[in-house]
């Protein structure tokens, strides 16, 4: 982190505990800390959306949320931020469960000083960084740089949990590259790989950075995006085709054709990622049949 202060978001509704944390981190010789405090889980989740937080120090008993559910709501919304549980009830079993579910560490109220609290935070940040590096490598498709099948399902499950909590619907898009066998048979697998990389580029240009884009395997791709009221199959097809046409206009020799299908995730009637993919796949093949 260098000389940059570490931004800590403390979820705590007891003024005395807030004071002790602030004093301990102010006195730290290991690093510089900037502490923000929220009393309610809802306020903390809103603050996290603004960004700029390096680590969460989380009391599991807040004004509007108590127990493991408090931890789960923070973790689901902000999987990229390390969490240290701040427990005052000496419930080690509960604290250990948060670590099993993705928390980095826990520390008991009244049982820390400046050095121990600082080290806990610093070590948690470093462990999380290393873990994210390993996870990212294992979740990436080497050819396209998109998420692989494993990365897609992990991210999709988190996105569905978040959609249920925030009461938002999702679109699941299933796509494949038309004529892949003919490309491989007629021009070789090197050209086939180039076609897959071009398709990946088109998807990246069509969808938002916050959307989940993955190559499931072979010529099959999947995307999850938050549903917008005016978005449907035809609009997405038009956007994809425009990006393909733009690539052709720039002199790219590969003439891509992509077929897609869409499934809708309704937060009020949730279903699994597998079911959504099956529905989108079925629609894609119906679209292929109709097009022919």
């Amino acid at each position: 982190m260098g000389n940059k202060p570490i931004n800590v978001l403390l979820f705590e509704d007891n003024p005395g505990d807030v004071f002790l944390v602030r004093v301990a981190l102010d006195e730290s010789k290991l690093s510089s800390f900037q502490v923000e405090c929220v009393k309610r889980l809802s306020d903390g989740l809103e603050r996290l959306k603004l960004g700029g937080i390096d680590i969460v120090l989380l009391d599991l008993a807040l004004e509007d949320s108590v127990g493991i559910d408090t931890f789960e709501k923070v973790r689901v919304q902000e999987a990229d931020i390390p969490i240290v549980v701040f427990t005052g009830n000496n419930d080690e079993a509960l604290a250990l469960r948060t670590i099993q579910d993705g928390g980095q560490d826990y520390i008991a109220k009244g049982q820390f000083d400046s050095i121990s609290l600082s080290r806990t935070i610093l070590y948690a940040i470093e462990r999380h960084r290393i873990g994210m590096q390993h996870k990212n490598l294992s979740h990436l498709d080497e050819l396209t740089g998109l998420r692989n099948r494993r990365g897609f399902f992990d991210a999709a499950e988190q996105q569905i949990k978040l959609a249920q909590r925030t009461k938002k619907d999702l679109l699941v898009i299933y796509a494949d590259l038309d004529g892949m066998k003919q490309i491989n048979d007629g021009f070789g697998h090197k050209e086939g790989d180039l076609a897959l990389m071009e398709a990946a580029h088109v998807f990246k240009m069509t969808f938002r950075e916050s959307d989940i884009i993955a190559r499931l395997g072979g010529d099959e791709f999947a995307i999850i995006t938050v549903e917008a009221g005016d978005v449907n199959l035809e609009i997405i097809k038009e956007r994809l085709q425009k990006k393909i046409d733009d690539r052709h206009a720039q002199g790219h020799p590969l003439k891509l054709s992509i077929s897609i299908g869409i499934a809708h995730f309704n937060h009020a009637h949730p279903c699994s990622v597998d079911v959504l993919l099956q529905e989108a796949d079925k629609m894609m093949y119906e679209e292929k049949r109709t097009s022919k």
Side-chain angles (χ1 to χ4, degrees):
M1 294 266 178
N3 295 323
K4 181 184 175 183
I6 294 172
N7 293 315
V8 180
L9 183 59
L10 171 62
F11 289 67
E12 177 55 67
D13 57 8
N14 185 315
D17 290 323
V18 173
F19 175 77
L20 291 175
V21 170
R22 289 189 184 277
V23 169
L25 295 181
D26 283 344
E27 294 177 350
S28 174
K29 301 294 192 296
L30 300 179
S31 188
S32 174
F33 297 91
Q34 182 70 40
V35 181
E36 296 182 46
C37 181
V38 292
K39 295 180 179 180
R40 299 172 59 85
L41 175 65
S42 56
D43 294 337
L45 294 176
E46 289 301 314
R47 171 60 188 88
L48 286 170
K49 290 179 182 179
L50 301 177
I53 297 300
D54 298 311
I55 189 164
V56 165
L57 192 57
L58 180 66
D59 185 3
L60 296 180
L62 300 170
E63 292 181 358
D64 59 341
S65 183
V66 177
I68 193 67
D69 189 52
T70 307
F71 170 81
E72 287 294 340
K73 287 179 179 177
V74 176
R75 186 184 66 86
V76 166
Q77 177 174 308
E78 301 293 341
D80 292 340
I81 297 179
I83 302 172
V84 171
V85 170
F86 195 44
T87 177
N89 55 11
N90 293 320
D91 190 345
E92 189 164 326
L94 180 60
L96 286 172
R97 182 179 170 189
T98 65
I99 292 177
Q100 293 168 352
D101 289 349
Q104 286 299 325
D105 208 340
Y106 67 92
I107 192 165
K109 296 181 181 181
Q111 297 182 27
F112 65 86
D113 56 20
S114 178
I115 293 177
S116 63
L117 182 58
S118 300
R119 282 179 175 166
T120 296
I121 290 173
L122 293 172
Y123 292 171
I125 290 173
E126 183 62 12
R127 280 195 303 271
H128 185 77
R129 183 189 67 81
I130 294 171
M132 290 298 293
Q133 284 182 340
H134 291 163
K135 180 179 179 181
N136 289 339
L137 288 173
S138 68
H139 282 56
L140 288 181
D141 174 57
E142 292 184 4
L143 179 65
T144 63
L146 300 177
R147 284 182 171 87
N148 57 21
R149 188 177 190 87
R150 177 181 177 185
F152 174 79
F153 275 88
D154 281 358
E157 287 172 2
Q158 292 297 317
Q159 194 68 27
I160 283 176
K161 289 179 182 178
L162 182 60
Q164 289 178 259
R165 190 181 67 77
T166 57
K167 295 180 171 55
K168 292 183 178 179
D169 294 340
L170 302 172
L171 290 178
V172 176
I173 301 159
Y174 194 94
D176 77 6
L177 190 57
D178 297 329
M180 192 66 194
K181 185 177 186 303
Q182 288 79 3
I183 294 174
N184 284 330
D185 290 348
F187 303 99
H189 286 278
K190 185 175 180 180
E191 286 298 313
D193 287 347
L194 288 174
L196 291 169
M197 288 188 283
E198 279 293 302
H201 182 85
V202 168
F203 288 129
K204 289 177 184 177
M205 293 299 100
T206 303
F207 297 96
R208 298 166 296 185
E209 189 174 344
S210 59
D211 295 332
I212 298 168
I213 309 173
R215 179 189 174 206
L216 300 182
D219 60 353
E220 299 174 339
F221 297 84
I223 302 98
I224 291 186
T225 181
V226 176
E227 184 171 8
D230 61 342
V231 174
N232 57 35
L233 179 63
E234 291 305 316
I235 288 175
I236 294 175
K237 283 173 61 179
E238 289 175 6
R239 290 177 181 174
L240 278 170
Q241 191 59 53
K242 183 179 185 307
K243 295 301 179 183
I244 292 172
D245 292 342
D246 289 345
R247 298 290 283 175
H248 292 166
Q250 294 169 12
H252 290 267
L254 290 171
K255 305 300 181 183
L256 298 181
S257 175
I258 298 173
S259 297
I260 66 170
I262 292 179
H264 296 258
F265 173 81
N266 184 338
H267 71 272
H269 303 284
C271 60
S272 70
V273 180
D274 281 318
V275 169
L276 292 167
L277 282 177
Q278 288 170 11
E279 291 180 4
D281 184 32
K282 182 179 179 181
M283 178 176 279
M284 182 192 71
Y285 278 101
E286 179 64 24
E287 181 71 14
K288 278 179 178 284
R289 188 187 64 80
T290 303
S291 297
K292 288 181 180 179

